[in-house]
Amino acid sequence: TTFSADAGSDSNRDKNLRLACKAIDGKEIYPEEVFSFFDALGEPTEKRGYLPVSTYRNGKVETIVGEGISQVSSALYHCALSAELEIVERDNHSYCPNYVPPGLDATVSWSSTDFQFRNTGNYPIRIKAEADAGEITVTLVGTQTRSYRVALEFEYIDKTEYDVIYQKMQPDNPEGYQDGDYIVEPCEGYKIKTYLCKYDKNTGKQLARDFIEQSNYAARDAVICKIDGTAEANR
């Protein structure tokens, strides 16, 4: 199974993705063995080459060393589900990411949140991972024994709209925001159910639709710059 996604254009994030892909590339997982993303990766520190990237976390913009590696763990999650492997540990992001289909992400955070899966098949599998030219590709290589086709599908069961907040700022604000600029990009909140569906390869008839997990994503309000030459920025 293979999953590819746009890696974006941030050079620091791109470096983090390349390092993460290199760390897991070539790893072999034998039957009943559990693969841990962070056991394979190690701690993503500046000393090991990982770089700081800005992200929105805990209600504010923060700079995190190694930010972006969840894109690799998410691609691996997609592959593990498609291969019908047992998911041992997985958490969704706080906000719905745009680089994988909804409900198919796997966030990671050193010392608190890992991504793990077990090889429940009868044969070893090997991970191939690469980041190149603004795209990452993760593949699980193994022995195909299924007589049916697998598809991952999702269902929206709830939606939360975001609010729009205008933050007053001086014309000469140090960040250089112009009137109408997004200070914080918005996103809607969702509750999503993910299913693994099996289809007959010849007829296309659905053979099974198995519930996997529910993912709950918060809404993030839009914060927009409002230039005001006399008023102070809102707190």
Side-chain angles (χ1 to χ4, degrees):
T1 61
T2 297
F3 183 80
S4 296
D6 184 1
S9 58
D10 184 287
S11 59
N12 282 16
R13 180 187 177 92
D14 185 60
K15 173 70 177 298
N16 294 341
L17 291 171
R18 290 200 307 273
L19 287 174
C21 284
K22 183 178 179 180
I24 67 172
D25 183 55
K27 296 292 184 182
E28 294 187 343
I29 307 101
Y30 291 89
E32 294 306 314
E33 185 178 354
V34 173
F35 173 85
S36 161
F37 185 76
F38 274 132
D39 281 354
L41 190 77
E43 185 174 2
T45 62
E46 287 186 286
K47 186 176 180 179
R48 299 181 62 235
Y50 290 89
L51 300 175
V53 178
S54 295
T55 187
Y56 191 81
R57 183 179 294 184
N58 301 321
K60 60 182 180 179
V61 177
E62 297 182 359
T63 300
I64 308 295
V65 173
E67 176 64 24
I69 60 174
S70 288
Q71 188 164 347
V72 180
S73 56
S74 294
L76 191 56
Y77 175 55
H78 191 288
C79 291
L81 285 180
S82 296
E84 298 184 85
L85 304 178
E86 177 191 347
I87 305 304
V88 177
E89 181 179 352
R90 175 262 175 181
D91 287 314
N92 61 264
H93 288 77
S94 298
Y95 307 105
C96 191
N98 59 8
Y99 49 75
V100 289
L104 292 176
D105 59 303
T107 187
V108 289
S109 179
W110 179 257
S111 78
S112 64
T113 308
D114 196 3
F115 168 63
Q116 299 182 13
F117 66 88
R118 186 189 309 276
N119 179 3
T120 47
N122 296 320
Y123 303 95
I125 55 178
R126 179 168 52 87
I127 298 173
K128 291 179 61 179
E130 61 178 348
D132 183 55
E135 182 177 79
I136 69 162
T137 300
V138 175
T139 303
L140 287 182
V141 181
T143 303
Q144 176 63 266
T145 60
R146 295 184 299 210
S147 60
Y148 50 85
R149 178 176 62 84
V150 165
L152 299 174
E153 301 177 3
F154 61 90
E155 173 188 9
Y156 291 98
I157 59 174
D158 193 23
K159 179 180 178 180
T160 304
E161 299 290 346
Y162 61 82
D163 291 328
V164 178
I165 300 169
Y166 291 93
Q167 181 168 319
K168 295 180 181 178
M169 304 186 76
Q170 297 292 329
D172 59 348
N173 66 86
E175 293 84 2
Y177 288 117
Q178 303 294 312
D179 194 59
D181 285 352
Y182 277 111
I183 300 172
V184 175
E185 294 279 351
C187 61
E188 295 166 326
Y190 301 105
K191 290 183 180 178
I192 292 172
K193 288 185 176 180
T194 304
Y195 299 87
L196 186 141
C197 300
K198 302 175 184 178
Y199 293 92
D200 186 283
K201 287 184 177 180
N202 296 319
T203 66
K205 180 182 178 181
Q206 188 177 85
L207 305 175
R209 188 173 190 257
D210 299 323
F211 171 72
I212 297 173
E213 192 169 0
Q214 178 173 308
S215 301
N216 301 317
Y217 303 101
R220 185 172 65 215
D221 294 338
V223 181
I224 299 175
C225 173
K226 180 67 175 177
I227 296 298
D228 188 323
T230 58
E232 294 182 353
N234 291 340
R235 297 294 181 183

